[in-house]
Amino acid sequence: MMNAPMTDIHTHILPFVDDGSDSIADSLRMVGEAMANGVKNIILTPHALRTGMPKFTKEDHCRHFSEFQTEARKHFDVNLYLGQEIAYHPQIIKYLQDNKLLTLNDSSYILLELPFFDPIEDYEELFYSFSVLKYNVIIAHIERYYYLSYGDIVSLKRYPVLYQINSNSLTGESGRYLRKRSMKMLKDGLVDFIGSDIHVSRKNDFHLAYQMVARYLSVADADRIFVENPKRHLNVA
Amino acid sequence: MFRNHKFSHKDSIIVATQPESVYAESFRKIPINIKYSRVDDEPRVIQITSSLSGEHKSTSAANIAAVYRELGHKVILVDCDLRKPSIHRITGLVNTDGLTDYLVGNTDYANLIKQTRFEIDVINAGNPVPFPHVALRSEKFKNLIAKLRESYEYVIVDSPPLLLVTDSLIIGEICDTAVFVINQRTTKKNAAKEAIRLLRESNIPIAGIVLSNTAKRIRRVSKYYSYKYKYTSKK
């Protein structure tokens, strides 16, 4: 086990606001599992702008977060932070301009989820708009968009974006294809963050993912991805 | 980590960013020539168009607007290229609350007009709509241009290429004159001729031609003509 506390930048632990958790008990169990995996800082990133999900405003998310944080502190010595996993939406720039969305821990970084089926037509325009509004973009689980070839993933990196992959893609929990793709990205230096994207039904394998990075790359690289990058970019402890 | 990516069209208002350059000087001649294309009734709503895309018409439109601003006039730049907008990038804006949003009623006049760091007011193209030519034929668009005509001394209208879509001819009906941009290195002679024929058939007066991206040998002849503006014909 490593010494420095790890940060999980992508979780659906916040109860009652998305498909992550429907009860405080489940959410507390998920926090406990994260801590058992060596995570000390957890950014709660409920879905925002996702089609088919109940619509919560950022004020709703803040209120739920505040309540849950109070509850969690009774049980764990953990640092909880708030963000959102913002799904791509044609009006996303307008929402950001109107300050209706949350960045990760009040930093300049947003966690962006691309569409799962219809590719965005104009990435250049999208990333241009983010840069004008001075938002930095972390693309959530970049390995999971099947319409993006590996070449596309490499090519998108020419824009000012950072990539997050899921720990269960790397560990093979989500299948061989995602494991292979994640490993290749890791070895090619394309991965900036690893998140658990934990939902109540998923197994937390964050520590195993850390061990894999340490084994296949180096301990220094694993520390960079799991500890230093979040600290450097997202103002976590 | 982050790569430095230069987004296209960024920093292309040369008149403002490199005011001493030869390019900027070439643009400064254009308003004079537009003025003398019709002395008694100076054109104030000026359409910028070209035959095909990639001929630097949006860059020309923005730089012409910048020259008017430099001369102390109140000017607005309107992006009517609803299919491939770029004025927002040239002026460092995001493409929200634009012309299409106004025409379909999603934004109002107060939110429509954006101030830029170049001191030029701008109307963005806005979100894509399925039939841009229908939006441009609307009474609301005509009324908007009429309102801008009252509020501004000059209205510079960036419009799409003539040979690809009919939008430019629709826009031309409510403008005072058109400036036609030719990319010296890429525009085919037949394309330019065909586009000018379309303008003439639609009775859209042409104030002149801007020759962009001129070849080095022309620039060697006279460094002051790297962007060359020539009077051609008028209605």
Side-chain angles (χ1 to χ4, degrees):
Chain A
M1 178 74 77
M2 57 174 304
N3 294 325
M6 293 195 282
T7 301
D8 190 350
I9 73 156
H10 184 175
T11 66
H12 296 272
I13 291 176
L14 191 64
F16 312 121
V17 287
D18 62 6
D19 57 347
S21 162
D22 278 340
S23 75
I24 291 178
D26 280 339
S27 295
L28 289 174
R29 183 180 54 76
M30 287 154 83
V31 172
E33 281 174 9
M35 292 191 73
N37 273 269
V39 177
K40 179 74 191 287
N41 305 308
I42 307 175
I43 307 185
L44 310 185
T45 53
H47 287 292
L49 302 183
R50 172 71 98 81
T51 320
M53 293 254 176
K55 289 183 173 51
F56 288 97
T57 63
K58 79 170 192 183
E59 288 76 19
D60 295 332
H61 283 161
C62 289
R63 187 169 43 80
H64 280 278
F65 174 73
S66 176
E67 287 166 11
F68 181 67
Q69 193 179 34
T70 310
E71 190 61 33
R73 277 178 179 162
K74 291 178 192 167
H75 303 268
F76 305 104
D77 178 22
V78 65
N79 299 321
L80 298 183
Y81 305 95
L82 184 61
Q84 283 175 332
E85 184 188 9
I86 303 168
Y88 171 77
H89 183 281
Q91 296 291 328
I92 186 171
I93 299 302
K94 180 79 178 137
Y95 280 109
L96 284 170
Q97 220 175 5
D98 295 345
N99 201 22
K100 288 182 176 169
L101 297 168
L102 289 169
T103 59
L104 297 177
N105 187 28
D106 214 15
S107 64
S108 61
Y109 289 79
I110 59 165
L111 184 64
L112 176 72
E113 182 182 52
L114 299 181
F116 279 100
F117 300 105
D118 300 318
I120 294 169
E121 281 179 23
D122 196 348
Y123 287 102
E124 169 103 5
E125 178 65 24
L126 182 68
F127 295 128
Y128 162 79
S129 302
F130 287 134
S131 76
V132 171
L133 296 179
K134 307 226 179 301
Y135 285 104
N136 293 311
V137 181
I138 300 170
I139 300 185
H141 41 65
I142 182 79
E143 78 285 3
R144 286 183 59 199
Y145 310 108
Y146 290 94
Y147 56 79
L148 290 179
S149 66
Y150 193 78
D152 292 336
I153 291 176
V154 173
S155 160
L156 273 180
K157 255 284 188 184
R158 73 182 183 276
Y159 296 114
V161 293
L162 301 181
Y163 287 166
Q164 176 254 313
I165 62 167
N166 281 0
S167 55
N168 54 22
S169 295
L170 193 63
T171 58
E173 197 72 22
S174 301
R176 281 178 62 193
Y177 175 77
L178 290 181
R179 183 179 189 277
K180 210 172 151 188
R181 193 148 131 135
S182 306
M183 283 303 294
K184 186 162 169 52
M185 283 182 64
L186 198 64
K187 286 176 179 171
D188 290 347
L190 291 170
V191 178
D192 302 296
F193 300 96
I194 293 180
S196 67
D197 193 8
I198 195 76
H199 289 63
V200 72
S201 54
R202 292 183 197 167
K203 184 185 154 197
N204 195 323
D205 49 8
F206 211 63
H207 186 247
L208 180 59
Y210 174 86
Q211 286 178 321
M212 285 181 71
V213 178
R215 191 187 331 145
Y216 288 109
L217 297 180
S218 67
V219 171
D221 285 317
D223 285 350
R224 177 177 53 80
I225 292 170
F226 287 85
V227 180
E228 287 157 22
N229 281 352
K231 205 169 176 175
R232 185 171 146 205
H233 297 282
L234 308 175
N235 313 322
V236 295
Chain B
M1 282 285 129
F2 283 126
R3 306 260 169 93
N4 285 329
H5 176 76
K6 189 177 185 301
F7 291 99
S8 63
H9 291 95
K10 213 175 164 189
D11 295 330
S12 48
I13 304 190
I14 295 158
V15 171
T17 56
Q18 298 168 45
E20 308 294 327
S21 65
V22 173
Y23 292 98
E25 200 53 46
S26 304
F27 279 116
R28 289 192 182 102
K29 295 167 191 162
I30 296 174
I32 302 166
N33 287 292
I34 292 173
K35 184 175 181 176
Y36 289 109
S37 72
R38 223 160 59 204
V39 181
D40 295 333
D41 179 22
E42 187 190 345
R44 292 202 300 113
V45 181
I46 301 151
Q47 177 187 22
I48 315 295
T49 190
S50 68
S51 52
L52 296 164
S53 61
E55 299 188 280
H56 300 177
K57 68 186 152 34
S58 300
T59 306
S60 300
N63 278 284
I64 291 169
V67 174
Y68 279 117
R69 180 68 198 89
E70 199 178 63
L71 293 168
H73 297 296
K74 198 178 176 198
V75 60
I76 188 161
L77 181 58
V78 186
D79 194 349
C80 287
D81 192 343
L82 307 182
R83 299 166 200 256
K84 201 179 169 189
S86 57
I87 290 295
H88 64 286
R89 288 209 196 173
I90 294 172
T91 52
L93 299 169
V94 288
N95 188 18
T96 52
D97 290 323
L99 182 59
T100 52
D101 304 296
Y102 174 76
L103 295 178
V104 300
N106 286 342
T107 194
D108 55 18
Y109 186 76
N111 288 326
L112 182 64
I113 295 172
K114 312 278 190 303
Q115 272 85 46
T116 64
R117 65 189 168 99
F118 303 103
E119 298 181 347
I120 304 164
D121 285 358
V122 166
I123 294 181
N124 287 328
N127 282 299
V129 286
F131 302 106
H133 58 285
V134 176
L136 292 169
R137 274 200 196 284
S138 66
E139 279 301 310
K140 201 170 178 182
F141 178 61
K142 283 181 192 167
N143 293 340
L144 174 67
I145 296 293
K147 198 170 176 178
L148 296 175
R149 192 188 281 276
E150 283 172 17
S151 310
Y152 291 86
E153 289 173 83
Y154 294 96
V155 181
I156 310 298
V157 181
D158 183 29
S159 49
L162 280 153
L163 296 186
L164 299 181
V165 286
T166 57
D167 304 12
S168 266
L169 298 178
I170 300 166
I171 297 161
E173 288 172 15
I174 50 173
C175 294
D176 297 339
T177 193
V179 170
F180 189 75
V181 182
I182 294 177
N183 185 328
Q184 203 239 328
R185 297 191 203 194
T186 62
T187 310
K188 301 279 181 243
K189 190 175 168 185
N190 285 345
K193 279 170 81 175
E194 175 64 11
I196 291 172
R197 187 184 65 77
L198 284 172
L199 284 171
R200 285 190 176 141
E201 276 180 4
S202 306
N203 294 324
I204 298 168
I206 307 168
I209 289 172
V210 171
L211 197 59
S212 73
N213 202 12
T214 53
K216 280 181 186 161
R217 60 187 167 81
I218 291 186
R219 273 185 266 166
R220 270 205 300 271
V221 173
S222 169
K223 65 178 182 176
Y224 298 107
Y225 279 83
S226 49
Y227 254 94
K228 193 175 179 183
Y229 181 83
K230 277 179 84 177
Y231 173 80
T232 55
S233 63
K234 61 183 179 181
K235 193 173 146 187

